[in-house]
Amino acid sequence: MSAHVVVIDTRARRAQIKVQPNTYLSDVLSEACKRFDVDSHQYALKSGNKVIDLSQPFRLSGLIGGTKLELVQESRSPSPVSVALQEEGGNRDIERFLSSTTLWQILRKFEVNDTKRNLTGRSYPNAEVGSGRLCYEQPVMHIMGRDLVTFDDLQKTLGSLGIKHGSTLIRLKFLKTETPMEEAKARIDEYFKSIQPKEDESGNAGGQAPTTSTSQVSTPADEEETHLNGSLLEEDAQPANGQVPASATSDETTTRPAHRRISVYAPPSSSTPQAARHNVAPEDFEPSIAQAKAHQARLNKNVHNRRLPSDAEIAVQEQALKEKLSQIKEVEIKIRFPDQTTIVGTFTYEETVAELAHFVRSVLISPHEPFELTWRGDKGIQHLPQDHPTKKLIKDVGLKGKMLMNFQWDEVASLEARSGQLLKEEYVNKAQQIPIPMAFQGVETEMPDVPAGKGDEKEKGKGDKKGLPRWLKLPGKK
């Protein structure tokens, strides 16, 4: 059963595109951009106020026939995507790529990481073509429910398939073809030569296809570790006379880099929380009169109807919030790992999301594995926007004061990273127990005796007098 959707661009031009239940929305975008003569890599589809996921087919998108979609311009800078490549043998490797990376570049990147792996140049002897002739084994990728088989399909980018952020899984298998190996190899070499100028302009940062020389390949995690631990390497190289700086002997605080204060705390030795080990009097949990009055006043305030703020008032509130955040010089972030180990670090006003992610990767044994940082804010559980690495932690994300973030592995992370040790040995050895402060001894304050007024005595007297109410008495009786 076929249907159609209507795509409207910024010039109010319309394009009616027929769709099938299995038609992917990325194909709808490509067809619309082809009719409007624009580049599909710079646009996205929007339904109402929501940008739709282009990686889904039409039947799973929640759209109905005749839906009007807006063609909106997207950010020109590509965003990082975590890609997990799984072969038929069960091996799974994870790398981060930009959404502008093609599938051929992804395969070449995994080849460079493991020199023994051959993903783009496999061949097999085919006696039907000729004795001793080798034919090409075409890599076939299964992504988001679709199979990419042909040579042109593998030239598509992640963004053209609708995968522009987050993570995805690619299942790889090989199809035996009758194409001679020499012809296939020449075509592959010609393709990589054609995209070589683009790689030279943009560089190999962010997970793009690197050069074929493994000695020149530098992964992002290596650059992050060099950047964050640069001061440590310099300090290790300086002491030739055996003298160690005083700051290096402190087990309580380590510095990576020189301007950041870092504290590492070991997980608790007992499964019982510290709060449950102390005997607390039941009276401590009873609310005081002041607390009860404040709670009642808060409830009374919430039941009254309140006028929604106007646009001018909202702008004033946003401006006041920006001014408040601009006065914050630094924020202290505590990162709690699944094994209950915590690391506390300070970050300044100018530092970004990318620097926080780099800091976390520098302490991990498996820095290549994707992860998430979450915390509980005013709007519930919030995630660190790693897709926007240039956002500032205080100004854009809104971090302030002392923040507690929970570390968790991404769903595509390998089982080895999930089950193994998280932190590097140097941080595990420097970990200390969390200092437990002395229990706060609360001072009971006596409430002043309030003399009863005349009205209270009158009400008390009325309460003592017993009798039938006036409305219950029979007529004629007083």
Side-chain angles (χ1 to χ4, degrees):
M1 184 180 69
S2 63
H4 72 277
V5 293
V6 179
V7 181
I8 306 173
D9 69 344
T10 55
R11 300 181 183 178
R13 295 181 297 178
R14 293 171 174 257
Q16 182 174 328
I17 301 175
K18 293 183 179 181
V19 294
Q20 299 289 339
N22 294 329
T23 302
Y24 284 86
L25 297 180
S26 58
D27 298 335
V28 175
L29 174 64
S30 302
E31 182 65 22
C33 293
K34 183 178 180 180
R35 296 189 186 183
F36 295 142
D37 195 17
V38 294
D39 187 7
S40 61
H41 296 86
Q42 301 178 4
Y43 289 88
L45 293 178
K46 195 175 182 181
S47 177
N49 295 327
K50 182 180 178 182
V51 178
I52 61 178
D53 187 3
L54 299 177
S55 62
Q56 292 184 347
F58 180 75
R59 62 184 177 86
L60 299 179
S61 62
L63 304 176
I64 61 175
T67 302
K68 295 182 180 179
L69 303 177
E70 298 181 23
L71 186 67
V72 295
Q73 192 165 11
E74 207 173 30
S75 176
R76 295 186 178 181
S77 58
S79 56
V81 179
S82 297
V83 177
L85 183 67
Q86 181 175 355
E87 298 185 49
E88 292 179 316
N91 298 328
R92 178 182 293 188
D93 294 326
I94 301 175
E95 281 288 343
R96 293 182 69 87
F97 300 91
L98 296 179
S99 58
S100 59
T101 309
T102 64
L103 301 181
W104 278 114
Q105 291 174 316
I106 292 176
L107 293 177
R108 185 59 63 90
K109 169 66 175 179
F110 283 107
E111 282 184 340
V112 173
N113 293 344
D114 187 359
T115 56
K116 297 181 180 180
R117 177 179 293 183
N118 184 9
L119 302 178
T120 60
R122 290 195 177 189
S123 60
Y124 73 100
N126 190 352
E128 297 180 358
V129 178
S131 178
R133 294 296 301 273
L134 297 177
C135 292
Y136 183 60
E137 288 191 30
Q138 174 74 31
V140 178
M141 289 186 170
H142 183 79
I143 306 175
M144 302 295 292
R146 66 166 70 182
D147 290 328
L148 303 173
V149 183
T150 63
F151 185 87
D152 296 333
D153 289 342
L154 299 182
Q155 296 182 14
K156 295 181 179 180
T157 62
L158 293 174
S160 63
L161 298 176
I163 307 171
K164 299 185 178 181
H165 54 80
S167 57
T168 185
L169 173 63
I170 299 179
R171 301 183 184 275
L172 180 65
K173 60 181 180 180
F174 296 91
L175 178 65
K176 295 183 178 181
T177 64
E178 296 183 356
T179 305
M181 185 61 188
E182 298 81 5
E183 181 181 345
K185 187 176 181 180
R187 191 175 181 183
I188 294 173
D189 293 341
E190 182 181 357
Y191 167 72
F192 279 105
K193 288 180 180 179
S194 64
I195 64 174
Q196 189 66 32
K198 298 181 181 180
E199 294 180 4
D200 295 339
E201 293 176 2
S202 58
N204 294 333
Q208 294 183 1
T211 57
T212 56
S213 176
T214 58
S215 60
Q216 299 177 357
V217 176
S218 61
T219 59
D222 296 337
E223 298 175 359
E224 295 158 8
E225 186 172 354
T226 303
H227 171 71
L228 291 173
N229 299 340
S231 59
L232 176 66
L233 298 177
E234 294 176 0
E235 294 176 1
D236 293 342
Q238 287 177 359
N241 53 0
Q243 298 180 357
V244 181
S247 59
T249 61
S250 175
D251 293 342
E252 185 171 337
T253 304
T254 52
T255 303
R256 307 217 189 348
H259 68 277
R260 195 186 314 285
R261 299 186 302 274
I262 300 175
S263 301
V264 185
Y265 298 103
S269 57
S270 176
S271 59
T272 305
Q274 286 288 345
R277 301 182 188 179
H278 302 281
N279 296 327
V280 183
E283 293 79 8
D284 296 342
F285 296 96
E286 295 180 0
S288 62
I289 297 177
Q291 291 174 342
K293 288 183 178 180
H295 178 66
Q296 188 64 33
R298 188 162 50 249
L299 294 179
N300 294 335
K301 182 180 179 180
N302 293 334
V303 297
H304 294 294
N305 294 329
R306 289 178 292 180
R307 179 181 61 84
L308 295 176
S310 61
D311 295 341
E313 293 174 344
I314 294 176
V316 172
Q317 294 175 2
E318 293 178 352
Q319 183 63 27
L321 179 60
K322 290 181 180 179
E323 293 178 358
K324 184 178 180 180
L325 293 177
S326 62
Q327 297 176 359
I328 301 176
K329 301 302 180 182
E330 63 180 15
V331 60
E332 183 178 290
I333 299 178
K334 176 187 286 187
I335 301 173
R336 181 168 58 190
F337 295 90
D339 60 353
Q340 299 305 311
T341 304
T342 56
I343 292 184
V344 182
T346 57
F347 295 82
T348 62
Y349 180 82
E350 297 296 333
E351 295 192 79
T352 61
V353 172
E355 294 179 78
L356 175 57
H358 293 171
F359 165 70
V360 176
R361 290 194 188 97
S362 66
V363 302
L364 296 176
I365 292 182
S366 304
H368 303 284
E369 303 289 344
F371 61 88
E372 293 182 356
L373 293 177
T374 61
W375 72 95
R376 182 177 294 276
D378 298 335
K379 300 180 181 179
I381 301 298
Q382 301 184 28
H383 297 259
L384 186 70
Q386 298 190 45
D387 297 340
H388 302 82
T390 57
K391 283 189 174 182
K392 295 185 177 181
L393 295 174
I394 298 178
K395 179 182 177 181
D396 300 327
V397 183
L399 302 183
K400 56 184 178 180
K402 296 183 178 181
M403 302 293 300
L404 173 61
M405 291 189 176
N406 294 316
F407 175 95
Q408 59 184 8
W409 290 113
D410 194 85
E411 58 182 5
V412 298
S414 63
L415 181 61
E416 180 181 358
R418 293 173 181 270
S419 58
Q421 181 177 331
L422 285 173
L423 303 182
K424 296 179 180 178
E425 286 295 335
E426 59 175 306
Y427 296 99
V428 175
N429 296 334
K430 291 180 178 293
Q432 58 179 343
Q433 294 295 330
I434 299 177
I436 303 174
M438 296 295 295
F440 177 76
Q441 301 294 337
V443 180
E444 295 183 359
T445 57
E446 296 182 356
M447 298 297 295
D449 295 334
V450 180
K454 295 182 179 180
D456 297 338
E457 294 178 355
K458 187 176 181 180
E459 293 178 358
K460 183 178 180 182
K462 285 185 178 180
D464 296 340
K465 184 178 180 180
K466 297 181 180 180
L468 295 175
R470 296 182 62 183
W471 58 270
L472 193 57
K473 293 182 179 180
L474 297 176
K477 292 184 178 182
K478 297 183 180 179

